[in-house]
Amino acid sequence: MSTGSRKRIVKELAECHADPPPGTKVQLIDESNVHTWEILMDGPENSVYAGGHFKLNLTLPKDYPFKPPTLNFATKIYHPNVSNDGKGSMCLGMLRSDEWKPPNRLLAVVNMARSLLLEPNPDDAVEPQLADQYKNDRAEFDKTARDWVRRYAAKK
Amino acid sequence: MNMDSDEEFNSNSNVDMSSDEGFLDQDMESDVSLGDDYELEASDDEEPDIGFDTQDKDVKPRKEAYQVDFQVLSPADIQASQDEQIDEVSAILGQPPQNSAILLRYARWNKERLIEAYMDKQDEVLEAAGLGSVATEQPPRFERVPNFMCDICCEEGDQLDTFAMKCGHRFCADCYTHYLVSKITDEGEAARIKCPGDGCNRIVDSKSLDFLVPPAVKGRYRELLTRTYVDDKENLRWCPAPNCEFAVDCPVKRKELFRIVPTVMCECKHTFCFGCSLADHLPAPCVLVKKWLKKCEDDSETANWISANTKECPRCHSTIEKNGGCNHMTCRKCRHEFCWMCMGVWAEHGTSWYNCNRFEERSGAEARDAQARSRQSLERYLHYYNRYANHEQSAKLDKDIYIKTERKMTQLQSASGMSWIEVQFLEQASQALQQCRQTLKWTYAFAYYLKRNNLTEIFEDNQKDLELSVENLSEMFEKPTDQLQGKKVEIMDRTSYCNKRRIILLNDTAENLKKGVWEFNVEMTG
Ligand SMILES: [Zn+2]
Ligand SMILES: [Zn+2]
Ligand SMILES: [Zn+2]
Ligand SMILES: [Zn+2]
């Protein structure tokens, strides 16, 4: 199985190199280890994260693709779907083990991360307070999110 | 969002098969029948000489008011009852058994609802249960497909064994199997494993599963299916004893738990509450047990000092250690006899004016200001907690002393070459002590929430009588071992008296609970 898994991962990496979402770069942290990826993602222009440069880590479990990958923001970000505990972890949609299906692609995971920057999903949040603010006090949310971009994600 | 197939189904159509409200409608009827049972028993007593009719009834072992009907099921029984229902549904719906099984699990084993919904909206039900459109029966098999590439492992080739269910999502045999094995062994899923295809909600049927996974995993799969079966049925519950594989079937419904304390005994002898799975907590209803345990946990520091094993003699103040279960203490130094629980003079426990078990409320004048009231409420709690904790601890000490006694008697017997000494009666005495202390313990939690009315006095009398009979039996174990054989008849008498007092107390509380005449000082909710 491990050779099969490697074959697939290499293929997926090629897919991500060939057709990454706008402003996104995907690479292996260490060429000898196909299980840990690094994603460099620019905040989309028409979002509060515009101007930010975010680093994310994508880790593939040993049993990939039968178990979902894990995705973390290494750059601090003010976002209802990203845990604000220093780990920057995300747990929604296809990243959950009960939703993940083996044919799902990492390119889709990367795309999901980017679309969450464009539009957070407050109904499936890891940070309930941020979700609440996002829904009920959007101006304040946007202000803090932009502020965090300047403070933590400004330089490349 | 994790959309369960049920929810999807329920929101798409109005066929409601798994919500609680659905079950509640049915519960109303069983409430009435309970009341009828009760009337029946009462009228039996009033007309004792009808002859044959009553004799017929006497043949059955008489059920006490506090007891409930139940049946213990072995793993094989559980399997058989599943199979029976699957066959029945297959015959009615004309679906192959593996599909009927999926449908039943989807409907959480509510057969009537399933059949009704199926007759009404067949396609929707099949879709929602993960069976797609009507399945035709064809044994699962591998296929080789030209120009195939597996979307999971990316292997390709015409010679690859592949598998797909009716939905057509085809993957190589290795990947399909690996997917199923990982769902079963790592995630403990069984009844609702979906097709590995992206976005496909079709449930993997047991025939496909049997075909694909190795025998060891099949065993685990069956186990998990049985588990969900018992979990889904309101009338079934697993025995909570560690490693016990039996389940209990009991008709008592969740909403009846305010009026019944359904206590059942498993094949393994573990006695537990069918309502909440905790160990036997008669006579207190589940909701009070839950509140009480929560309170004890919150107030554990306040109450900690009570469980200390040493106290001072109230007369001469020498330190006294409690090493048996009996609460009738005699100070070694001054021979003062007192009650460990209330520290009162023991002789007064038998007389009617003295009450160790009753908490005396102080008059209103004394408890006027807030501080006095809060002090009184703490004292009241400590009064009941003290006795609750004491019986719990005494039960342990009783057990220790019984084990020591039994060992000593066996030694005595082999050392002296005496004829075989009958120790069965000691074991029975020990069991009675354990059971009665368990009951006594919970009577104090029950009493804590009880509002005083004309019934509470009878309850407190019963409690006191049981308590005294228990202490009288308990003290027998503190006699020198070589005297025990001579005390056999006395011990047996005291044992059966204890058991009798327990039944009297439990019947009284259960009857009043069923009639709804106890008044409580808390809301009887959640
Ligand atoms: Zn494959
Ligand atoms: Zn499918
Ligand atoms: Zn058991
Ligand atoms: Zn209970």
Side-chain angles (χ1 to χ4, degrees):
Chain A
M1 192 52 58
S2 65
T3 54
S5 160
R6 191 186 163 85
K7 184 166 180 173
R8 156 142 176 193
I9 295 170
V10 169
K11 194 170 165 175
E12 286 205 73
L13 191 61
E15 276 168 17
C16 290
H17 283 154
D19 186 23
T24 306
K25 202 177 151 210
V26 174
Q27 61 198 37
L28 291 182
I29 293 175
D30 165 5
E31 284 299 326
S32 66
N33 179 3
V34 294
H35 285 265
T36 40
W37 298 21
E38 184 178 72
I39 301 165
L40 302 169
M41 192 178 282
D42 293 341
E45 274 318 310
N46 40 355
S47 76
V48 288
Y49 305 105
H53 305 287
F54 300 93
K55 193 160 98 179
L56 294 84
N57 293 319
L58 185 67
T59 311
L60 314 187
K62 249 202 350 258
D63 205 16
Y64 183 82
F66 296 95
K67 299 275 158 47
T70 51
L71 185 62
N72 303 70
F73 269 82
T75 309
K76 215 165 145 70
I77 182 171
Y78 194 75
H79 194 293
N81 303 108
V82 182
S83 76
N84 185 22
D85 56 358
K87 294 193 184 104
S89 40
M90 301 178 79
C91 181
L92 75 167
M94 56 168 49
L95 291 172
R96 293 162 52 127
S97 63
D98 53 344
E99 296 227 350
W100 174 261
K101 290 286 190 81
N104 289 158
R105 299 284 148 162
L106 294 171
L107 184 56
V109 172
V110 176
N111 272 315
M112 183 183 81
R114 186 167 187 277
S115 64
L116 281 169
L117 292 186
L118 280 165
E119 193 180 349
N121 178 357
D123 295 323
D124 198 359
V126 279
E127 295 292 342
Q129 276 151 322
L130 296 206
D132 198 55
Q133 193 189 42
Y134 179 79
K135 280 204 268 196
N136 301 314
D137 190 358
R138 188 60 182 273
E140 190 57 33
F141 176 89
D142 287 356
K143 190 169 159 271
T144 315
R146 286 203 181 92
D147 187 42
W148 281 37
V149 169
R150 270 191 299 277
R151 271 158 64 188
Y152 306 110
K155 55 175 186 279
K156 227 161 188 166
Chain B
M1 276 287 292
N2 175 24
M3 279 283 265
D4 193 42
S5 54
D6 286 6
E7 289 163 31
E8 263 172 56
F9 180 51
N10 286 339
S11 56
N12 290 345
S13 68
N14 286 321
V15 192
D16 179 6
M17 303 216 292
S18 48
S19 83
D20 273 351
E21 281 108 87
F23 286 107
L24 290 181
D25 301 341
Q26 300 174 328
D27 290 351
M28 300 299 281
E29 290 157 38
S30 51
D31 276 4
V32 176
S33 72
L34 254 165
D36 289 351
D37 275 359
Y38 184 70
E39 299 297 351
L40 255 169
E41 277 172 37
S43 59
D44 276 353
D45 293 341
E46 280 165 26
E47 300 162 65
D49 21 50
I50 293 184
F52 297 114
D53 280 4
T54 42
Q55 265 186 342
D56 275 356
K57 269 175 195 155
D58 289 345
V59 176
K60 282 188 252 164
R62 174 134 188 111
K63 203 178 85 182
E64 301 291 346
Y66 72 90
Q67 291 173 325
V68 292
D69 289 321
F70 66 91
Q71 202 191 338
V72 179
L73 302 180
S74 70
D77 295 334
I78 299 166
Q79 187 60 53
S81 84
Q82 284 188 78
D83 291 347
E84 196 180 301
Q85 292 177 70
I86 290 169
D87 288 348
E88 198 183 318
V89 165
S90 283
I92 296 170
L93 303 186
Q95 286 278 354
Q98 70 270 24
N99 288 4
S100 302
I102 290 176
L103 286 167
L104 272 166
R105 283 180 198 116
Y106 159 67
R108 304 211 181 273
W109 295 91
N110 190 330
K111 209 168 48 195
E112 290 74 26
R113 290 285 172 99
L114 168 65
I115 292 165
E116 199 180 299
Y118 186 90
M119 296 304 180
D120 204 27
K121 310 180 175 190
Q122 178 171 339
D123 288 347
E124 271 176 64
V125 172
L126 286 170
E127 194 62 47
L131 286 170
S133 52
V134 193
T136 51
E137 204 177 351
Q138 197 185 44
R141 61 197 168 93
F142 290 135
E143 264 178 63
R144 291 185 182 174
V145 181
N147 302 318
F148 177 80
M149 193 202 71
C150 174
D151 241 358
I152 297 178
C153 63
C154 300
E155 293 295 330
E156 47 202 314
D158 301 350
Q159 296 308 303
L160 222 49
D161 275 339
T162 71
F163 184 83
M165 291 188 298
K166 286 278 168 314
C167 57
H169 298 112
R170 185 167 294 280
F171 302 98
C172 83
D174 282 352
C175 283
Y176 221 114
T177 301
H178 189 107
Y179 169 75
L180 296 175
V181 170
S182 127
K183 283 282 169 197
I184 295 165
T185 52
D186 301 348
E187 288 167 50
E189 278 190 53
R192 285 151 206 269
I193 302 176
K194 290 174 181 171
C195 159
D198 186 14
C200 180
N201 284 327
R202 192 184 172 93
I203 308 285
V204 181
D205 62 279
S206 59
K207 249 191 191 169
S208 302
L209 213 131
D210 275 345
F211 176 69
L212 290 165
V213 304
V217 179
K218 270 182 226 176
R220 177 79 185 129
Y221 172 67
R222 294 254 159 261
E223 242 176 73
L224 288 164
L225 280 185
T226 307
R227 205 142 264 286
T228 60
Y229 172 68
V230 173
D231 292 343
D232 281 348
K233 298 278 275 183
E234 201 189 0
N235 62 315
L236 297 181
R237 201 181 258 275
W238 292 107
C239 168
N243 302 320
C244 180
E245 291 186 321
F246 286 77
V248 171
D249 183 340
C250 174
V252 174
K253 299 278 201 298
R254 211 170 307 143
K255 66 169 294 188
E256 293 172 327
L257 294 175
F258 301 98
R259 304 210 286 133
I260 303 174
V261 187
T263 308
V264 298
M265 187 165 78
C266 179
E267 188 75 15
C268 73
K269 298 285 173 249
H270 179 61
T271 307
F272 66 98
C273 169
F274 183 82
C276 68
S277 286
L278 289 175
D280 174 13
H281 58 67
L282 281 165
C286 298
V287 58
L288 294 184
V289 169
K290 207 174 142 201
K291 281 185 204 290
W292 175 257
L293 292 175
K294 173 92 174 53
K295 180 160 182 62
C296 294
E297 201 177 297
D298 294 349
D299 297 356
S300 62
E301 267 169 54
T302 329
N304 252 351
W305 61 273
I306 292 166
S307 36
N309 239 349
T310 51
K311 286 183 186 176
E312 276 182 8
C313 165
R315 192 202 272 163
C316 73
H317 301 288
S318 57
T319 307
I320 292 177
E321 197 181 348
K322 190 169 189 277
N323 41 27
C326 182
N327 289 309
H328 177 183
M329 307 304 293
T330 306
C331 173
R332 248 176 251 240
K333 217 165 168 185
C334 72
R335 310 305 300 166
H336 177 59
E337 289 181 59
F338 64 100
C339 165
W340 181 264
M341 274 198 282
C342 66
M343 304 301 278
V345 181
W346 184 260
E348 289 168 352
H349 275 68
T351 66
S352 55
W353 59 272
Y354 191 88
N355 283 297
C356 166
N357 60 331
R358 172 181 302 170
F359 178 74
E360 297 294 346
E361 309 269 346
R362 263 173 300 162
S363 64
E366 268 179 87
R368 221 167 350 196
D369 61 285
Q371 203 185 344
R373 271 199 307 276
S374 100
R375 188 178 157 70
Q376 167 142 7
S377 107
L378 178 65
E379 275 174 12
R380 184 174 180 277
Y381 167 62
L382 289 178
H383 170 91
Y384 291 108
Y385 181 78
N386 187 357
R387 282 150 184 80
Y388 167 87
N390 207 303
H391 280 298
E392 185 167 67
Q393 194 190 28
S394 295
K396 283 188 200 112
L397 295 169
D398 280 337
K399 190 160 202 166
D400 291 350
I401 211 164
Y402 161 70
I403 291 166
K404 269 185 230 150
T405 306
E406 201 202 19
R407 201 178 301 140
K408 268 192 275 177
M409 288 199 77
T410 320
Q411 277 166 3
L412 203 71
Q413 170 185 307
S414 46
S416 64
M418 275 192 294
S419 61
W420 190 73
I421 301 171
E422 216 250 301
V423 287
Q424 185 74 21
F425 72 98
L426 282 178
E427 200 192 323
Q428 276 162 4
S430 166
Q431 270 167 13
L433 275 181
Q434 292 297 309
Q435 201 173 34
C436 290
R437 286 211 192 271
Q438 178 85 356
T439 300
L440 276 171
K441 177 177 117 174
W442 285 109
T443 60
Y444 283 107
F446 184 69
Y448 177 73
Y449 293 111
L450 213 50
K451 219 185 242 172
R452 206 157 265 290
N453 66 16
N454 54 343
L455 296 167
T456 48
E457 209 151 305
I458 300 169
F459 169 76
E460 281 169 346
D461 286 347
N462 283 333
Q463 188 183 36
K464 189 177 65 182
D465 288 345
L466 177 59
E467 201 148 62
L468 275 174
S469 69
V470 162
E471 299 307 341
N472 285 340
L473 177 59
S474 179
E475 70 183 15
M476 297 304 275
F477 278 94
E478 297 186 353
K479 302 247 184 276
T481 312
D482 53 1
Q483 287 178 23
L484 283 177
Q485 193 61 21
K487 299 274 183 195
K488 179 177 164 182
V489 177
E490 206 175 332
I491 291 175
M492 283 172 74
D493 284 350
R494 289 185 187 199
T495 301
S496 73
Y497 186 67
C498 275
N499 289 332
K500 210 167 81 193
R501 294 307 325 174
R502 176 171 174 270
I503 290 168
I504 289 169
L505 183 143
L506 291 181
N507 280 345
D508 176 65
T509 47
E511 277 165 15
N512 287 331
L513 197 64
K514 220 175 261 184
K515 283 189 252 175
V517 292
W518 290 122
E519 291 176 65
F520 297 102
N521 52 29
V522 281
E523 281 295 322
M524 291 293 277
T525 49

